[in-house]
Amino acid sequence: MLRFLTAGESHGRALVVVVEGLPAGLPVTRQLVQAELARRRLGYGRGPRMRFEADEVTLLGGVRHGRTLGSPVAIEIANTEWPKWEQEMSPDPGSPSRVLTTPRPGHVDLAGMQKYGFGDARDVLERASARETAARVAAGALAKAMLAHLGMQVVSHVVALGGEWSSGRRPEPADLDTVDASAVRCFDAAAEERMVAAVKAAAKVGDSLGGVAEVLAYGVPVGLGSHVHWDRKLDGLLAQALMSIQAVKAVEIGDGFDVAGRRGSEAHDAISWDADAGEYRRQTSRAGGVEGGISTGALVVARVAMKPLATLNRPVLGTVDVATKESTVSFKERTDVTAVPAMGVVAETMTALVLAAEALRKFGGDSLAELVRNRDGYLGSLGDTPSAVAAGDG
Ligand code: EPS
């Protein structure tokens, strides 16, 4: 079983993640994690913090001489902003110098304060912050590294930002550098221009923008996930993992909502037999590579919709000061205009973690060599077709 836990607050000393269940012998370096974290910082529309904060990675445990040991891998990502926040976020007894009492609508501030009994929104927002996704991406870097040995690659691209849509043309793994080189991680240059213009326009008036990223998993073998129980369905696992990303409000697998409006004859992926390869094939991936909770061997496709960030540089949404109960506007924090390009990288991460967990469940093994051997020995073929027994008369 592959599992991971993150801890840490946005302006705390550091984020940490512990990943348990990786096989021994997986090549892992600090640079591998660092490179993936750098990808998460990409995207036009991010705030100034992305420029002045570095993600400082330390491998605390589970890796020796560039290989995993099969023990939990612990990673620390230091917040280089910490010296500025040391007083405000100190774990030692004391009190903050500034108490945030005007919760932002659309953020978890108020519901979190009510649930946990806090009088300061910072006690909620520090953990709710999407800064936490840096820790997920570190874990995802390890999952991706493992998947690569099984022939699986996960890529993402932004298909909508601020209401501007791309042509939808899908990048392949070899196109990932091109996508990352785009200002908004979009694979359609004309759409990228419109998206950047939308971000500029929103920034001018202190507003924020949402959008949609598409995640594509290549090389996923038939047979990950299962139809036998609700909590083993691959699409269900993907939906939960993707929906858990901060500010995500919708997840669609394959043609998703669109399929609901089509006739059955137009809604599914026809099956054919490739005699040369000895494999069943699907020419389309309307089902997003999952049928009944099991991967079919077709391209795995998920779309993830992110709402506009709730922190505005020009707060206009009405709220209440919880100290006085007077109507006001929410507090002003420096923020990003949009984080959709970064969310795409986080969506890759969550997809990779789900696929890695399911691959380990299916193929198993304590070392990478054993896992790869088990994968190579997997046929994905059918059992014998039982011959029908003619109904007797007795
Ligand atoms: C975030 C607000 C911004 C983002 C932050 C997430 O932080 P700040 O208010 O400190 O500038 O920069 O994201 C990150 C730091 C990150 O690494 O992704 C929020 O409100 O969620």
Side-chain angles (χ1 to χ4, degrees):
M1 187 165 87
L2 183 71
R3 52 192 172 146
F4 72 98
L5 266 184
T6 74
E9 278 68 44
S10 181
H11 298 95
R13 181 186 291 274
L15 296 169
V16 290
V17 61
V18 178
V19 188
E20 200 272 328
L22 285 168
L26 177 70
V28 165
T29 60
R30 207 172 73 84
Q31 288 72 20
L32 174 103
V33 177
Q34 198 95 48
E36 210 45 28
L37 287 171
R39 293 186 60 234
R40 193 197 65 94
R41 303 166 68 81
L42 296 171
Y44 188 75
R46 289 285 255 163
R49 186 171 171 188
M50 285 302 103
R51 285 197 298 276
F52 53 67
E53 183 156 64
D55 293 317
E56 272 179 13
V57 174
T58 309
L59 300 179
L60 295 175
V63 181
R64 181 164 183 249
H65 299 149
R67 280 175 191 271
T68 54
L69 297 172
S71 52
V73 175
I75 303 174
E76 180 193 78
I77 306 161
N79 286 332
T80 52
E81 283 280 83
W82 171 243
K84 274 193 246 160
W85 288 85
E86 201 167 345
Q87 289 303 316
E88 206 64 12
M89 292 300 294
S90 171
D92 298 329
S95 24
S97 61
R98 179 181 167 222
V99 179
L100 303 178
T101 56
T102 54
R104 295 159 297 174
H107 219 286
V108 68
D109 298 350
L110 181 58
M113 292 166 88
Q114 290 176 290
K115 178 175 171 67
Y116 289 94
F118 293 138
D120 182 354
R122 187 166 299 286
D123 287 332
V124 179
L125 71 89
E126 281 288 333
R127 179 61 185 164
S129 163
R131 171 78 189 149
E132 185 264 346
T133 61
R136 300 195 201 192
V137 167
L142 309 183
K144 284 182 177 180
M146 192 198 92
L147 291 175
H149 289 273
L150 303 175
M152 286 185 252
Q153 278 165 304
V154 187
V155 305
S156 72
H157 61 132
V158 170
V159 293
L161 210 175
E164 300 293 345
W165 287 82
S166 82
S167 67
R169 187 164 69 95
R170 291 177 170 156
E172 304 209 352
D175 299 315
L176 200 54
D177 287 348
T178 309
V179 173
D180 284 350
S182 153
V184 286
R185 302 199 64 255
C186 178
F187 195 46
D188 171 347
E192 171 189 331
E193 243 175 72
R194 296 196 305 274
M195 289 174 183
V196 168
V199 173
K200 276 187 187 153
K204 218 178 221 169
V205 292
D207 222 325
S208 61
L209 295 176
V212 181
E214 185 174 73
V215 192
L216 306 162
Y218 287 87
V220 177
V222 63
L224 299 193
S226 178
H227 68 291
V228 299
H229 201 243
W230 70 268
D231 59 357
R232 290 190 55 192
K233 289 178 180 261
L234 184 64
D235 42 4
L237 295 167
L238 287 171
Q240 202 277 324
L242 294 168
M243 189 66 105
S244 78
I245 300 169
Q246 289 81 344
V248 165
K249 296 302 279 182
V251 177
E252 191 179 42
I253 306 290
D255 289 358
F257 282 91
D258 216 30
V259 155
R262 293 188 206 148
R263 291 191 170 183
S265 55
E266 299 287 315
H268 304 289
D269 304 310
I271 301 169
S272 57
W273 174 249
D274 182 337
D276 293 337
E279 282 177 14
Y280 298 98
R281 296 252 186 245
R282 322 272 172 146
Q283 295 309 323
T284 50
S285 192
R286 292 159 166 165
V290 187
E291 284 174 354
I294 304 182
S295 60
T296 62
L299 182 68
V300 171
V301 184
R303 284 191 170 201
V304 188
M306 185 185 210
K307 67 187 178 184
L309 297 175
T311 315
L312 304 179
N313 280 314
R314 185 183 56 102
V316 288
L317 293 168
T319 187
V320 170
D321 187 321
V322 296
T324 63
K325 308 287 185 288
E326 277 167 16
S327 296
T328 178
V329 289
S330 55
F331 61 85
K332 186 174 177 318
E333 281 251 309
R334 175 197 63 226
T335 187
D336 310 331
V337 175
T338 187
V340 175
M343 183 274 284
V345 176
V346 180
E348 281 176 28
T349 284
M350 295 309 290
T351 301
L353 284 159
V354 168
L355 293 175
E358 288 308 300
L360 280 165
R361 181 173 192 149
K362 172 127 188 82
F363 304 119
D366 294 302
S367 67
L368 182 66
E370 201 179 349
L371 173 69
V372 170
R373 224 173 16 246
N374 293 345
R375 162 68 183 98
D376 289 346
Y378 168 60
L379 302 173
S381 57
L382 309 182
D384 292 338
T385 305
S387 42
V389 179
D393 55 2

